Amino acid sequence: MTGGCGYIGSHVTRQLSEAGYRVTVIDDLSRGFPGSLLHGERLVEGDIRDSALLDRAFASGKFSAVLHFAASIVVPDSVARPLEYYDNNTLGTLRLLQACQKHQVRQFVFSSTAAVYGEREGGPLTEDSPVAPSNPYGRSKLIDEWILGDVALATALRYVALRYFNVAGADPRARIGQRSVATHLIKVACEAALGKRPEVVIFGTDYRTPDGTGVRDYIHVEDLAGAHLDALGYLEKAGESRTFNCGYGRGYSVKEVLEEVRRQAGDFRIRIGPRRAGDVSQLVADSSALRKTLGWKPKYANLSDIIQHALAFEKTLPR
Ligand code: UDP
């Protein structure tokens, strides 16, 4: 696991250990926390662009699969600092795939994103919808998908690329959750509701959506983590390389999200601001392929559980 100490990675690490896998995590701890490893998983501290470090990590055992989470993930940051995103996300994935080839690891699960799709109106996005990322983050991940496709054609590597829609929520027991990167809407709203920030700014009310604010398909991190175990099971059963959307197929607007946080946690200040660079109006997943092909069965497919668990975890963090 790369990035196994991060927000999504730590939930997958935990579920893998609980399912009986032996997990080694590579994490540079730039945004991950070693305390997020709940079952004593082995941690190799370092950067995935460091090929010597990867060699040492791969040589320390026999690995059946790599799950790759380590990446920079904030859309507006990627607009401001594109080279950092291509370096960490694209070059990082390239170095990791070179190490997989060298050390003969042939199953690969990749964290991709709905940001590969870009602006589009109409119904939910299928995996065949046109890709047209609106920002460097999405482009850095789309290039990774293309590299993976080429490598899978040329070698014995098989992969599953999971295109995450908007991941939120936390471990239902509130042991792990989103600690860093406080730019995502549900995290920001939970912080405001708990008095950790003065207000939430709505980035644009002039989108072509029912209430004018951005619409996203929020997926609970536990359900997303489950999709990774399903993907691994699929590859273990010789499944061919595939890309899957990860969302519930239902979009919520920024205003609807803020309303639900207010309902659960009380009032906080909301201000209307301009659109944010790199944002699109709506991203909603058609995830029928994930359900059918991988047998994915989500447990928390509702906004109320997502926000309840996000709030409960946020309360465990220092102010
Ligand atoms: N958003 C907002 N205020 C915030 C953070 C986000 O209005 O403080 C909006 C954003 O414009 C988008 C939606 O919430 O429409 C989800 O944004 P987020 O940053 O959570 O995820 P993204 O879709 O950019 O990956």
Side-chain angles (χ1 to χ4, degrees), residues 20-248:
Y21 287 93
R22 283 178 54 208
V23 182
T24 294
V25 168
I26 301 179
D27 199 302
D28 69 359
L29 301 181
S30 58
R31 282 175 301 273
F33 295 84
S36 301
L37 301 178
L38 297 181
H39 297 293
E41 293 88 354
R42 179 163 166 261
L43 172 62
V44 177
E45 192 180 332
D47 191 311
I48 54 164
R49 289 163 293 187
D50 177 350
S51 297
L53 175 112
L54 290 180
D55 274 343
R56 285 197 301 280
F58 276 95
S60 69
K62 182 144 178 53
F63 296 96
S64 53
V66 164
L67 293 91
H68 175 34
F69 297 86
S72 306
I73 59 153
V74 179
V75 167
D77 282 357
S78 80
V79 175
R81 298 194 300 279
L83 289 176
E84 261 178 46
Y85 274 67
Y86 290 115
D87 194 351
N88 197 28
N89 295 359
T90 308
L91 185 64
T93 301
L94 187 77
R95 292 280 174 262
L96 184 63
L97 285 169
Q98 286 168 333
C100 287
Q101 193 163 351
K102 188 167 167 189
H103 297 275
Q104 299 184 342
V105 177
R106 300 202 166 116
Q107 296 174 33
F108 197 91
V109 181
F110 176 61
S111 302
S112 190
T113 170
V116 298
Y117 292 116
E119 186 60 66
R120 189 187 103 122
E121 285 179 14
L125 295 149
T126 69
E127 291 80 0
D128 295 327
S129 298
V131 287
S134 298
N135 50 65
Y137 167 63
R139 280 188 278 277
S140 71
K141 290 281 186 175
L142 183 56
I143 297 169
D144 288 345
E145 285 194 11
W146 286 336
I147 294 172
L148 267 171
D150 288 340
V151 173
L153 278 179
T155 71
L157 181 120
R158 286 173 300 112
Y159 71 89
V160 168
L162 296 174
R163 290 180 176 162
Y164 306 167
F165 282 63
N166 285 64
V167 190
D171 168 32
R173 288 171 59 189
R175 295 165 296 178
I176 49 177
Q178 191 167 11
R179 289 178 174 274
S180 57
V181 194
T183 59
H184 291 133
L185 180 65
I186 290 183
K187 170 91 175 157
V188 166
C190 289
E191 288 182 359
L194 298 177
K196 296 180 180 183
R197 63 169 68 221
E199 62 179 13
V200 177
V201 181
I202 298 181
F203 297 141
T205 52
D206 59 347
Y207 285 104
R208 281 162 60 103
T209 58
D211 68 17
T213 66
V215 168
R216 296 290 184 275
D217 188 342
Y218 295 91
I219 174 173
H220 196 297
V221 67
E222 275 291 288
D223 284 337
L224 180 67
H228 292 75
L229 274 76
D230 295 337
L232 211 46
Y234 167 85
L235 290 173
E236 285 162 1
K237 286 192 224 105
E240 61 188 31
S241 297
R242 284 281 301 259
T243 299
F244 296 101
N245 286 341
C246 299
Y248 296 134

